[in-house]
Amino acid sequence: MSIVEALAEHRLLGIIRGNDPDACVETARTLLAQGVEVLEVSLTSRDALTVLGRLAGSARWIGAGTVLTARDARRARDAGATFAVTPALGEGVTASIEMGLPVLAGALTPTEVHAAVTAGAAAVKLFPASEFGPDYLAALRAPFPGVPFVPVGGISVEDVPRYLAAGALAVGVGSPLVGDAPDGGDLSALADRAARFVKALS
């Protein structure tokens, strides 16, 4: 199964960014237990590569986020990441593709979407999605009907059905889903939020 197929099946990418490595790992494990099976650990997290390595054996789909450079891509792959996510086009995209790491390339405008597809991105991370909303995604899909879009940025549980109806392959959710759990916050509250997001997918 490819990352695009995994996203099509699960419809939710859980994004983890935090300052407590142990809490980041426990956040991921809690999400997995709630059925959120495609995860991203941002490289801006403290000891992100260690977190990726600790999760690589238990999470089939564990991606590295905020991949900006060739060094980022190489270190993420070596740590066990199965895909890469970038906030924008650039070296992180091309390097990931060259080393065989599927990439969700960050893009916003039609020109950037076209560039991401031309570069060989597996999917386009539409970012920041909340600034434009589901109607913008629907408008983009008119000229790009075959592009797998994953909107990311400020997506609430109430927004999820609207983005999926607008044609999103999946939605990527960070703080509205994980809250303060990656910094040592309440895992029970995280589990409740995850359950609500999973329910919103149906």
Side-chain angles (χ1 to χ4, degrees):
M1 181 182 289
S2 69
I3 182 58
V4 170
E5 291 169 334
L7 288 166
E9 178 178 342
H10 297 291
R11 312 302 302 273
L12 179 60
L13 169 66
I15 302 169
I16 300 167
R17 177 183 288 106
N19 295 315
D20 183 330
D22 289 335
C24 286
V25 170
E26 291 307 313
T27 296
R29 290 174 176 163
T30 300
L31 290 174
L32 289 167
Q34 293 298 318
V36 183
E37 297 190 31
V38 186
L39 303 176
E40 169 193 336
V41 176
S42 172
L43 293 185
T44 59
S45 300
R46 182 182 167 198
D47 293 335
L49 296 170
T50 300
V51 174
L52 282 168
R54 289 173 64 183
L55 293 171
S58 56
R60 181 177 180 186
W61 299 107
I62 181 71
T66 325
V67 174
L68 295 173
T69 66
R71 182 172 182 264
D72 289 341
R74 183 173 58 255
R75 294 173 75 199
R77 179 200 60 188
D78 292 348
T82 53
F83 63 97
V85 185
T86 75
L89 302 175
E91 185 181 313
V93 174
T94 54
S96 296
I97 292 169
E98 286 171 359
M99 63 183 65
L101 199 61
V103 60
L104 280 61
L108 181 62
T109 67
T111 299
E112 292 169 348
V113 171
H114 179 67
V117 173
T118 302
V124 170
K125 169 187 167 180
L126 187 64
F127 176 79
S130 62
E131 295 300 312
F132 297 87
D135 290 344
Y136 181 67
L137 170 61
L140 274 180
R141 289 197 72 249
F144 300 109
V147 173
F149 283 101
V150 181
V152 175
I155 297 176
S156 69
V157 68
E158 293 81 13
D159 294 329
V160 170
R162 297 174 58 221
Y163 278 104
L164 295 179
L169 174 73
V171 292
V173 187
S175 56
L177 170 63
V178 301
D180 62 355
D183 295 316
D186 188 345
L187 293 177
S188 295
L190 168 63
D192 289 342
R193 286 191 301 273
R196 290 197 298 272
F197 269 94
V198 169
K199 184 177 180 180
L201 299 170
S202 57

